[in-house]
Structures are given as structure tokens and as C-alpha cells.
């Protein structure tokens, strides 16, 4: 499992690199996503995690969808199955005035 880096780590101040086409479907990227998911799972209040937060300077983040939705009603007989994390790659955020 990857450790979450703390404020002040150099990787958090760098521009993340895009995930290259040849990485999609690779064992390396699959392992990184798995390790990120494991790191997020042990943080009960954690909703999302970006690759730079685990010392990987890539444009990748995951979101635990079951943690962004309201919990089921108390009278529900069976709890819903946990949902897989949403994985987002190579996002670019732009600002317009």
C-alpha cells in the first residue's frame, strides 16, 4: 500500500505528468490504482485521492463513489454493495474570466 505524503512534499508542488497511452492496461498502472485504492480505503473520511498524494506525479485521481452518496435509510433490509472507485485520468482544469 502506498503511503499518503504530507504537506510540503516536493511532488505536491510539481505539475503532474499525463498518463501516457501505453500505460493504459499495463500492470504498472493497474498496480498503482490498486495501491491508491488501498491507501484511500484505510482513511474512513477519505473521498478522493490523487496520484501525487502517494508520491506519483501523474494526472490520475480516484473517487470512492460510496462515500459521496448519502447513506441508505436505516430501515433498509440489506446494505448496498460497495461501489468501485471512479478513476479519472489526464484531466485539465482551465479557468475563464
Amino acid at each position: 500500500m502506498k503511503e499518503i505524503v504530507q504537506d510540503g512534499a516536493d511532488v505536491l508542488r510539481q505539475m503532474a505528468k499525463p498518463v501516457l497511452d501505453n500505460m493504459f492496461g499495463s500492470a504498472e498502472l493497474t498496480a498503482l490504482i490498486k495501491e491508491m485504492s488501498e491507501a484511500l480505503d484505510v482513511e474512513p473520511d477519505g473521498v478522493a485521492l490523487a496520484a501525487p498524494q502517494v508520491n506519483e506525479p501523474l494526472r490520475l485521481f480516484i473517487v470512492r463513489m460510496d462515500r459521496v452518496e448519502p447513506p441508505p435509510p436505516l430501515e433498509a433490509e440489506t446494505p448496498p454493495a460497495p461501489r468501485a472507485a471512479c478513476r479519472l485520468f489526464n484531466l485539465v482544469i482551465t479557468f475563464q474570466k
Side-chain angles (χ1 to χ4, degrees), residues 14-57:
Q14 299 169 0
M15 184 176 290
K17 299 172 188 165
V19 177
L20 301 176
D21 288 344
N22 64 351
M23 291 182 71
F24 288 96
S26 70
E28 175 186 7
L29 186 59
T30 301
L32 174 59
I33 292 169
K34 181 178 185 279
E35 290 175 331
M36 288 175 64
S37 294
E38 291 170 352
L40 184 56
D41 286 346
V42 298
E43 297 294 332
D45 294 327
V47 174
L49 186 67
Q53 291 176 280
V54 292
N55 209 31
E56 295 289 339

Side-chain angles (χ1 to χ4, degrees), residues 38-96:
E38 291 170 352
L40 184 56
D41 286 346
V42 298
E43 297 294 332
D45 294 327
V47 174
L49 186 67
Q53 291 176 280
V54 292
N55 209 31
E56 295 289 339
L58 294 171
R59 291 182 193 162
L60 159 67
F61 72 94
I62 61 172
V63 180
R64 282 280 308 262
M65 298 307 293
D66 59 326
R67 294 183 181 173
V68 297
E69 296 175 345
L74 293 176
E75 65 271 4
E77 292 181 23
T78 55
R83 292 177 55 187
C86 174
R87 299 170 297 271
L88 301 154
F89 303 90
N90 297 334
L91 294 175
V92 177
I93 299 172
T94 59
F95 296 95
Q96 295 179 347

